[in-house]
Amino acid sequence: MARAAEATTVTKGTPVGRRVFLGMVGLAAAGVVFGSKAQDWLEHALAPITSRDGTGLSSFLPVGRFRIYTVTGELPNKSEAEYRLKVGGHVNQPLDLSFADLQAMPPTNLDKDFQCVTGWRVHNVKWVGVRLGDLLTRAGIKPGAGGVEFHSFDGEYTESLTMDQALRPDVIVAYSMDGKTVSSEHGGPVRLYVAPMYGYKSCKWLDGINVVQGEPQPGYWEVRGYDVDGWVGKSNGRDDTPTS
Ligand SMILES: Nc1nc2c(c(=O)[nH]1)N[C@H]1C(S)=C(S)[C@@H](COP(=O)(O)O)O[C@H]1N2
Ligand SMILES: [Mo]
């Protein structure tokens, strides 16, 4: 049962790190001084430390639309200027791309839902990015490539897709969300967005794409019991209506 799997993984979640927590307490004080705008931001920022669920930390407070998850307890931060994305492994031409390089490629827009396996869903998020398939084509997939592994600059999170999944038109390397560069809390400046699958497939703070021969390694939550094929409505024992 999905419930049992979630209950098991809860104990393995990592709370927000002490450093981040203390930083937010400092900002709480600032919120008192600077008024409601800072306070709004703060509620949003503090929300992740208020509770935990199956794939991360979440909140009983209204936190706007998304819950912010980070398995390391940190929110890594990279500017657009310092950001790099490496595409390598079983390819003809490894790539080392800047944020501007990504923006110079043909953009793909997806207006779609974002659904976490723990049950929350955000409707109609406006994503812009580069098709993962376009990046892989640019790098040149060598014969025998079976899948793709993703790495995060949080140093811990990983994900994977089969090659068939990776080449779908609704899988993008996203640099914009709801009209702005993907924010640090949402895994920016660049994250993966796998529209047809649960949120855990959408690796935040993406900095590496590794094409492998044969089967890719299962990702962070997959070694902890979640399905590798994370289709919305058709995995993890859930019966959600899939994203349109
Ligand atoms: N690097 C990293 N990526 C991650 C996660 C994470 O903890 N770390 N959590 C995953 C899960 S379970 C979900 S539901 C989404 C949450 O995205 P959000 O924090 O932007 O709401 O990110 C996914 N990608
Ligand atoms: Mo999730």
Side-chain angles (χ1 to χ4, degrees):
M1 284 289 290
R3 286 249 164 272
E6 287 178 24
T8 318
T9 52
V10 162
T11 55
K12 290 177 179 164
T14 311
V16 162
R18 186 172 162 77
R19 194 150 60 81
V20 172
F21 177 76
L22 292 176
M24 288 193 284
V25 170
L27 287 159
V32 174
V33 177
F34 297 117
S36 69
K37 203 154 181 214
Q39 204 64 48
D40 287 352
W41 181 88
L42 185 72
E43 281 197 0
H44 195 78
L46 278 176
I49 65 171
T50 59
S51 72
R52 272 189 260 169
D53 62 28
T55 56
L57 305 154
S58 67
S59 173
F60 298 116
L61 297 169
V63 289
R65 310 203 307 151
F66 280 78
R67 296 177 189 188
I68 305 302
Y69 287 161
T70 174
V71 298
T72 63
E74 308 283 332
L75 295 176
N77 200 3
K78 263 189 198 177
S79 68
E80 291 176 25
E82 63 190 326
Y83 179 77
R84 309 296 301 188
L85 175 63
K86 291 196 159 67
V87 184
H90 202 57
V91 296
N92 296 318
Q93 178 62 60
L95 308 174
D96 182 351
L97 302 171
S98 68
F99 192 87
D101 293 334
L102 287 172
Q103 282 184 310
M105 290 181 69
T108 293
N109 289 262
L110 295 174
D111 293 359
K112 283 184 175 291
D113 296 356
F114 189 88
Q115 160 104 41
C116 176
V117 71
T118 61
W120 56 270
R121 179 184 294 200
V122 183
H123 292 280
N124 239 320
V125 184
K126 293 195 183 325
W127 302 96
V128 189
V130 175
R131 278 197 183 125
L132 178 59
D134 289 350
L135 282 171
L136 296 176
T137 303
R138 183 165 161 186
I141 308 159
K142 284 188 183 167
V148 182
E149 295 169 352
F150 304 96
H151 293 270
S152 169
F153 61 81
D154 70 9
E156 193 149 341
Y157 204 81
T158 55
E159 252 309 329
S160 70
L161 291 172
T162 65
M163 193 52 76
D164 282 353
Q165 293 165 358
L167 296 175
R168 288 176 59 106
D170 54 0
V171 176
I172 63 171
V173 169
Y175 50 73
S176 171
M177 189 186 132
D178 286 337
K180 291 173 290 195
T181 298
V182 179
S183 66
S184 156
E185 61 182 3
H186 285 300
V190 175
R191 77 178 293 171
L192 193 65
Y193 174 54
V194 182
M197 294 196 181
Y198 286 110
Y200 63 88
K201 300 299 295 188
S202 295
C203 181
K204 296 167 63 165
W205 307 296
L206 179 69
D207 73 346
I209 297 175
N210 185 35
V211 176
V212 296
Q213 290 177 273
E215 296 256 307
Q217 293 293 313
Y220 181 93
W221 282 116
E222 293 145 20
V223 298
R224 291 162 175 80
Y226 288 88
D227 289 346
V228 174
D229 292 328
W231 305 109
V232 173
K234 284 184 272 177
S235 67
N236 298 287
R238 295 187 61 90
D239 61 359
D240 309 283
T241 307
T243 304
S244 56

